[in-house]
Amino acid sequence: MYGFTAAHPEYPHETIIRVTNLSNGKSVVVRINDRMPYHPERIIDLSYGTALELDMVEDGLAEVQLDILEWGVE
């Protein structure tokens, strides 16, 4: 819950990405550790700890940029 992890509908588990909140420029490096269902308006589901670090908890949703740092293997 408080770790820097995320769920993505397609990225392999253990993929390392940088998530940047485009409204404030804050970024954090996270590990994909789960799957999420496909949703046309959402590209990633962040853990609470990641959302706290990016100042996204109040808003719930935010525009983000994803930069892949290392692909995981499945």
Side-chain angles (χ1 to χ4, degrees):
M1 179 172 158
Y2 291 100
F4 294 143
T5 60
H8 191 275
E10 298 175 4
Y11 290 174
H13 286 79
E14 305 304 321
T15 295
I16 307 297
I17 61 173
R18 179 183 304 109
V19 181
T20 303
N21 182 340
L22 296 178
S23 68
N24 62 20
K26 291 187 176 187
S27 66
V28 66
V29 175
V30 302
R31 178 178 50 87
I32 302 296
N33 72 336
D34 202 0
R35 288 270 182 255
M36 63 177 264
Y38 173 77
H39 190 286
E41 297 177 12
R42 298 185 183 147
I43 61 170
I44 196 162
D45 184 15
L46 304 174
S47 68
Y48 182 74
T50 301
L52 275 174
E53 188 76 13
L54 296 174
D55 288 336
M56 294 173 47
V57 173
E58 292 292 319
D59 298 330
L61 295 175
E63 288 192 33
V64 297
Q65 176 179 318
L66 305 181
D67 297 301
I68 298 156
L69 304 178
E70 180 181 328
W71 283 106
V73 179
E74 286 199 46

